[in-house]
């Protein structure tokens, strides 16, 4: 994966954008994480968590696609020469991304968590980092998978964009789970963003006892989330497990596409 060393601009720009995105998000939601005493304030906190997940994830998926497309062209030549197996190439392509994603996660989470002023709790901070890391990783693997399954980077970008829209719409945030039409509810369960939101919101707000004021009701934050979104601390473990499955699935499909699909024109 020498392209990562021979093209330092890719990683430099990626890390610079990570810092810039974190600062933009942090200033946009400055200090809202500690304000949870009304439904509007709670929605703002949830919106901050939702935005934090999406803001950089889509960028990761989009930015990795040109690199994978370039590498694939070189891979076809080296595969024909019998230099290494397709699965070894796929494994290297995925593993080389992990350290960069980890650095991205640390930069992004440190800036956004403390600027937004989420609860100053070590356990919640590390869960925030864990969900962000898993999210950035599956977005990256999804971008790689899209290139692996399509003949050109342009087609991969179009296909990816279509799924981003569906993921956003049916993630359970814009339209709560109970209001998603029955003929679309199946998509909620296979939407990775839905599991990210369930896990990260549950980890940050699922045990909060603060009383929120609504129109004609008073209820704790954790009870409100349970009643309206089915979020709670019992959802953290399953969400982590499902996100791990999504990471494995996207990477496995990419590896299989590298091994069995060849778009090279002779």
């Amino acid at each position: 994966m020498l392209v990562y060393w021979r093209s330092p601009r890719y990683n430099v720009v990626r890390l610079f954008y990570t810092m810039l995105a974190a600062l933009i998000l942090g200033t946009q939601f400055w200090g809202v994480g500690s304000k949870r005493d009304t439904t509007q304030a709670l929605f703002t906190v949830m919106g901050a968590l939702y935005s934090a997940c999406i803001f950089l994830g889509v960028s990761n998926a989009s930015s990795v696609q040109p690199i994978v497309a370039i590498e694939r062209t070189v891979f076809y030549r080296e595969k024909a020469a019998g230099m290494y197996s397709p699965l070894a190439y796929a494994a290297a392509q995925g593993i080389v991304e992990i350290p960069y994603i980890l650095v991205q996660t640390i930069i992004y989470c440190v800036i956004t968590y403390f600027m937004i002023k989420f609860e100053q709790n070590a356990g919640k901070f590390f869960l925030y980092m864990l969900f962000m890391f898993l999210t950035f990783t599956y977005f990256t693997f999804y971008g790689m998978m899209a290139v692996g399954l399509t003949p050109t980077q342009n087609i991969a970008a179009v296909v990816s964009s279509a799924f981003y829209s569906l993921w956003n719409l049916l993630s359970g945030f814009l339209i709560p789970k109970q209001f998603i039409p029955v003929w679309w509810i199946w998509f909620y369960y296979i939407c990775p963003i839905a599991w990210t939101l369930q896990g990260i919101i549950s980890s940050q707000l699922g045990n909060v006892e603060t009383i929120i004021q609504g129109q004609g009701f008073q209820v704790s934050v954790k009870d409100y989330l349970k009643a309206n979104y089915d979020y709670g601390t019992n959802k953290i473990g399953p969400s982590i497990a499902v996100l791990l499955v999504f990471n494995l699935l996207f990477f496995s499909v990419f590896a299989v596409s590298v091994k069995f699909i060849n778009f090279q024109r002779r």
Side-chain angles (χ1 to χ4, degrees):
M1 298 293 104
L2 290 177
V3 68
Y4 283 78
W5 298 104
R6 292 172 179 170
S7 303
R9 285 179 296 178
Y10 167 60
N11 289 305
V12 170
V13 171
R14 180 162 65 163
L15 294 178
F16 174 77
Y17 179 76
T18 298
M19 187 177 299
L20 180 63
L23 290 172
I24 291 173
L25 190 73
T27 52
Q28 178 68 33
F29 292 101
W30 182 274
V32 304
S34 59
K35 301 172 184 177
R36 303 171 297 200
D37 55 348
T38 66
T39 53
Q40 183 59 51
L42 181 61
F43 289 151
T44 302
V45 176
M46 293 172 63
L49 290 167
Y50 172 75
S51 301
C53 298
I54 304 299
F55 210 50
L56 197 60
V58 173
S59 173
N60 270 21
S62 300
S63 62
V64 78
Q65 289 180 348
I67 298 297
V68 175
I70 293 170
E71 281 284 300
R72 182 170 63 179
T73 302
V74 177
F75 165 72
Y76 285 148
R77 182 182 67 243
E78 295 176 344
K79 177 185 176 183
M83 295 182 66
Y84 43 74
S85 75
L87 294 181
Y89 162 80
Q93 185 78 62
I95 292 171
V96 75
E97 284 285 344
I98 301 300
Y100 296 102
I101 296 173
L102 182 59
V103 173
Q104 275 189 297
T105 302
I106 293 171
I107 294 172
Y108 190 75
C109 290
V110 168
I111 294 174
T112 57
Y113 194 89
F114 294 103
M115 288 184 71
I116 297 174
K117 292 187 179 179
F118 291 123
E119 188 173 334
Q120 305 299 295
N121 178 288
K124 290 190 174 185
F125 174 69
F126 285 111
L127 280 173
Y128 180 78
M129 286 190 62
L130 176 60
F131 279 110
M132 286 299 180
F133 176 74
L134 292 174
T135 299
F136 296 160
T137 304
Y138 76 62
F139 265 109
T140 302
F141 287 166
Y142 173 76
M144 294 165 59
M145 179 186 72
V147 173
L149 293 174
T150 54
T152 68
Q153 176 198 335
N154 292 335
I155 295 176
V158 172
V159 172
S160 299
S161 297
F163 276 93
Y164 300 151
S165 300
L166 286 172
W167 286 357
N168 284 327
L169 182 62
L170 298 170
S171 64
F173 180 75
L174 299 178
I175 305 174
K177 177 183 173 183
Q178 62 266 36
F179 296 118
I180 296 176
V182 65
W183 51 86
W184 274 112
I185 194 64
W186 61 272
F187 196 90
Y188 170 86
Y189 291 104
I190 64 169
C191 173
I193 296 177
W195 293 94
T196 294
L197 290 177
Q198 177 177 267
I200 201 167
I201 292 176
S202 295
S203 68
Q204 298 302 310
L205 301 171
N207 65 346
V208 174
E209 300 282 357
T210 302
I211 300 299
I212 58 175
Q213 305 284 340
Q215 292 185 347
F217 70 89
Q218 289 184 336
V219 66
S220 67
V221 169
K222 71 174 186 178
D223 290 337
Y224 182 85
L225 291 176
K226 183 65 177 177
N228 290 277
Y229 293 92
D230 196 27
Y231 292 163
T233 53
N234 63 319
K235 302 291 186 178
I236 297 173
S239 297
I240 293 172
V242 172
L243 292 182
L244 287 170
V245 170
F246 273 116
N247 275 280
L248 181 61
L249 174 64
F250 292 158
F251 176 73
S252 297
V253 173
F254 169 68
V256 170
S257 71
V258 167
K259 183 173 178 61
F260 294 106
I261 301 177
N262 190 333
F263 293 106
Q264 187 178 36
R265 295 181 179 179
R266 297 183 181 277

